[in-house]
């Protein structure tokens, strides 16, 4: 078991996304995190299936597609066909979450559910046994470069406990927002095993090295060789 690093291309140069993916992969990125925003669920607009399809041609790591959109049911098939290996959907917009999670799985992708900072862990109590992963937002979604919300650490631990008692110990916890060399150790200790990082990778002069450093730090915490 190791910690996976998922650089978010939201903070990369949108005129050179292919190069951003290659740079992150050279640094040891395990996944490529793609933030899809529709201007309704969040106050920003980003990427659609066409861009995911283009990135699929150049990426060697699995594409982790985070849907911050008001109507994910209308688009999961398009993103799966575009090449998403993981698709995560926000519980806040889905009255029929069970149906959506199983639809994602039926399309051959890993299904994740996402909790906004103000959404309680109990919102996923009934779906915890069915998911492949849970994404805990540690900022309010919509923008990169925001500050980590400290309460997210306890929330990660609570999600881990819920997954375990739901008979789903293999489901991983992903954390997204404000992850950097200062916050990574705390979330790994709490149980996160997939770390999304946008600004801490692409906001630096050397994204390749930043990816490598974050991965070494996170895995150092797991093996007990530092990290704080
Ligand atoms: C925020 C997105 C994040 C974002 C994280 O709405 O879901 O994936 O790219 O950016 P940082 O790591 O800069 O907080
Ligand atoms: Zn994201």
């Amino acid at each position: 078991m190791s910690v996976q690093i998922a650089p978010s291309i939201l903070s990369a140069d949108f005129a050179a996304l292919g190069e951003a993916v290659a740079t992150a992969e050279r640094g040891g990125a395990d996944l490529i995190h793609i933030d899809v925003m529709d201007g309704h669920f969040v106050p920003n607009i980003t990427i659609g299936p066409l861009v995911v399809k283009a990135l699929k041609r150049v990426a060697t790591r699995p594409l982790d597609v985070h849907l911050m959109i008001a109507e994910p049911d209308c688009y999961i098939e398009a993103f799966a066909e575009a090449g998403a290996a993981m698709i995560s959907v926000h519980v806040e917009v889905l009255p029929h979450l069970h149906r959506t999670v199983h639809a994602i799985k039926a399309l051959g992708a890993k299904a994740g559910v996402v909790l906004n900072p103000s959404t309680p862990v109990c919102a996923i109590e009934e779906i915890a046994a069915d998911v492949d992963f849970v994404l805990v937002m540690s900022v309010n979604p919509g923008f990169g470069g925001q500050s980590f919300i400290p309460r997210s650490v306890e929330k990660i631990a609570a999600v881990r406990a819920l997954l375990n008692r739901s008979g789903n110990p293999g489901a991983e916890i992903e954390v997204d927002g404000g992850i950097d060399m200062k916050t990574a150790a705390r979330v790994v200790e709490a149980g996160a095993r997939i770390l999304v990082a946008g600004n801490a990778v692409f906001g630096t002069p050397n994204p390749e090295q930043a990816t490598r450093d974050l991965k070494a730090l996170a895995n150092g915490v797991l093996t007990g060789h530092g990290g704080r």
Side-chain angles (χ1 to χ4, degrees):
M1 173 52 57
S2 60
V3 181
Q4 296 193 299
I5 303 298
S8 165
I9 58 168
L10 183 64
S11 291
D13 176 2
F14 269 37
L17 287 179
E19 181 50 34
V21 168
T23 301
E25 290 180 344
R26 282 196 300 273
D30 300 282
L31 306 165
I32 301 298
H33 187 82
I34 302 178
D35 289 303
V36 176
M37 305 184 187
D38 66 351
H40 290 276
F41 178 59
V42 291
N44 201 358
I45 301 175
T46 56
I47 284 170
L50 285 174
V51 176
V52 173
K53 190 175 178 184
L55 292 175
K56 175 66 183 163
R57 289 204 308 269
V58 298
T60 65
R61 310 305 303 167
L63 302 181
D64 168 31
V65 175
H66 176 192
L67 297 183
M68 286 160 276
I69 62 178
E71 298 199 65
D73 288 331
C74 300
Y75 297 98
I76 54 177
E77 189 171 352
F79 282 105
E81 280 175 4
M86 300 162 67
I87 297 177
S88 55
V89 292
H90 275 259
V91 306
E92 297 85 7
V93 297
L94 285 164
H96 309 294
L97 188 56
H98 181 274
R99 179 188 291 154
T100 305
V101 162
H102 286 279
I104 293 170
K105 289 182 165 186
L107 289 163
K110 286 190 177 176
V113 293
V114 195
L115 296 169
N116 270 342
S118 65
T119 304
V121 174
C122 64
I124 56 168
E125 185 110 29
E126 299 298 329
I127 199 69
D130 298 54
V131 299
D132 293 309
F133 65 103
V134 174
L135 172 48
V136 174
M137 287 307 301
S138 41
V139 298
N140 289 293
F143 303 94
Q146 303 181 80
S147 298
F148 181 81
I149 297 172
R151 170 139 177 84
S152 313
V153 175
E154 289 163 52
K155 195 170 189 179
I156 290 164
V159 171
R160 183 68 270 158
L162 170 61
L163 290 167
N164 292 353
R165 74 172 179 269
S166 301
N168 196 1
E172 299 291 8
I173 298 175
E174 179 172 25
V175 61
D176 185 2
I179 299 301
D180 58 21
M181 295 295 281
K182 293 194 187 77
T183 54
R186 285 151 66 200
V187 299
V188 171
E189 279 170 356
R193 292 295 176 269
I194 304 171
L195 306 190
V196 177
N199 195 52
V201 169
F202 293 109
T204 69
N206 189 342
E208 179 182 334
Q209 189 60 39
T211 303
R212 198 174 288 126
D213 290 347
L214 193 59
K215 188 167 175 173
L217 181 143
N219 283 292
V221 174
L222 270 194
T223 53
H225 297 303
R228 275 179 190 275

